[in-house]
Amino acid sequence: MKQSTYSPIHIIGGGLAGSEAAWQIAEAGVPVILHEMRGIRGTDAHKGDGLAELVCSNSFRSDDATSNAVGVMHAEMRLAGSLIMACADKHQVPAGGALAVDRDGFSDAVTAAIQNHPLITVVREEIKGLPPEDWDLAIIASGPLTSPDLAEAIRQKTGEDALAFFDAIAPIVHRDSINMDICWYQSRYDKVGPGGTGKDYINCPLDEQQYHAFIDALIAGDAVGFKEWEGTPYFDGCLPIEVMAERGRETLRHGPMKPMGLTNAHNPTVKPYAVVQLRQDNALGTLYNMVGFQTKLRYGAQAEIFRMIPGLENAEFARLGGLHRNTYIHSPTLLDQTLQLKNRPGLRFAGQITGCEGYVESASIGLLAGRFAAAERKGEKISRPPATTALGSLLGHITGGHIVSDDEPGKRSFQPMNINFGLFPELEPGSIVKPDGVKRFRGKDKTITKRQLIAARALSDCRAWLGREAP
């Protein structure tokens, strides 16, 4: 390791987040020791021992920075000197408007860059417990397949209920895509909970014919099977809706779709046969989750079937549902706004274990954790990205941008999320202006304009944060 006046920062995990964190720290002039167990011990999903191995798709998704949230994240990471983005760009393969990579070339490039950096030392070993106390600054970036021993150590430090091993996710819908001419706001029995108003849910009514058509579609829907290493982690309160539908046609109507305690504000004299409720999912009020709708249906089937629900015929999904292995901590209660564990200063978490999803998102949180740790080591003020940026909005989601569920004790209100425009703060009133010569300006055209404005604001604010001039 090259001589440095600073003590090293230790990183556990050489995936996308760990590799990006190591690069950011080293580029800041601080030495890094990167601990990676593959090469000593494998996982059920990885094939080799290269750093930043892509275990699923080879796509980083859309590269459009003008109107796509993940494309904005790409652009911000490039501005911040991301190793992951540099290697992805170098090993890009044709994929239309998406950024896809040659997975072996990409991993080889990341591995070479890390191993050849004079301030980074890669140690192949399994860290079975939390970092020792003499590692005063460390980052855990062990990913969704964290080894059992390390996961147990994290659980003991953070609490029994603070670590999830299986992720039951209900679909999340953009609020502005819900048809409020059909839906209405109301809590069941107009109950006013802590911080509530009695109108805390969006309700979508179904008549008997619509309900049975929906049940038929659920039962016939194409579902994803579990991988052998996942098992079948169904447990009470977390059954996929298609499994509930198979257990009896009325099961959902007496479960998450029960109509009791609700009156259709648009047609008060007609009692709905069933109701789908959506609950506010983020503090901004831009995202709503479909209560009780965790599912193993394939994404294409989900979008088609859920748009059968009255009021959701034009629904745009911030994320679709799922039920799969995913080790992550309850970050909003455990981490501060610099990704540091509140009850152990100096220990940060990064990547998917913090509650984000996707290659780019994982790497971006590694980027931030690395920058924060390097600044702390150098005695500099830690600068967080503005909430209006993609980096800042995802950080905000992880460290506190969720709603606590008071009416369902014990259920996890914080769920892993991809970057999407629903995580960004709203534009200032009056920002969206109808273009000259356009008579009708609404629907999809207005949505695209809104996203373009959010994207432009994000990149401008990111450049300012980084001290970079606009091109």
Side-chain angles (χ1 to χ4, degrees), residues 2 45 48 72 108 182 189 207 226 303 315 339 369-370 391 398 401 443 445 447:
K2 182 180 178 180
V72 175
D108 290 346
I182 294 175
Y189 299 108
D207 61 26
F226 284 98
L339 301 167
L391 289 166
I398 288 171
D445 291 337
T447 297

Side-chain angles (χ1 to χ4, degrees), residues 112-126:
I114 293 293
Q115 290 181 337
N116 292 330
H117 198 292
L119 288 179
I120 302 176
T121 299
V122 179
V123 179
R124 298 285 180 169
E125 63 177 347
E126 181 182 359

Side-chain angles (χ1 to χ4, degrees), residues 342-421:
K342 292 177 182 178
N343 66 357
R344 180 171 166 179
L347 177 59
R348 287 181 167 80
F349 283 77
Q352 282 188 259
I353 197 169
T354 64
C356 62
E357 288 236 328
Y359 294 147
V360 176
E361 291 85 345
S362 179
S364 73
I365 299 303
L367 182 152
L368 291 176
R371 294 176 74 93
F372 295 159
E376 183 173 352
R377 174 63 84 214
K378 296 168 74 173
E380 298 173 352
K381 181 180 179 181
I382 293 177
S383 174
R384 302 194 308 272
T388 50
T389 64
L391 289 166
S393 64
L394 186 59
L395 178 65
H397 166 71
I398 288 171
T399 60
H402 75 304
I403 297 295
V404 175
S405 177
D406 295 307
D407 60 333
E408 295 181 275
K411 288 198 174 182
R412 183 172 296 273
S413 59
F414 172 67
Q415 294 181 340
M417 181 76 73
N418 292 109
I419 186 65
N420 65 83
F421 282 120

Side-chain angles (χ1 to χ4, degrees), residues 7 14 42 93 119 164 167 174 184 205 215 259 267 279 286 374 388 454:
S7 299
V93 296
L119 288 179
D167 190 13
H174 287 276
W184 74 96
I215 296 300
N267 195 356
R279 181 176 55 226
T286 54
T388 50
I454 293 174

Side-chain angles (χ1 to χ4, degrees), residues 234-239 411:
Y234 298 152
F235 51 94
D236 289 344
C238 223
L239 283 176
K411 288 198 174 182

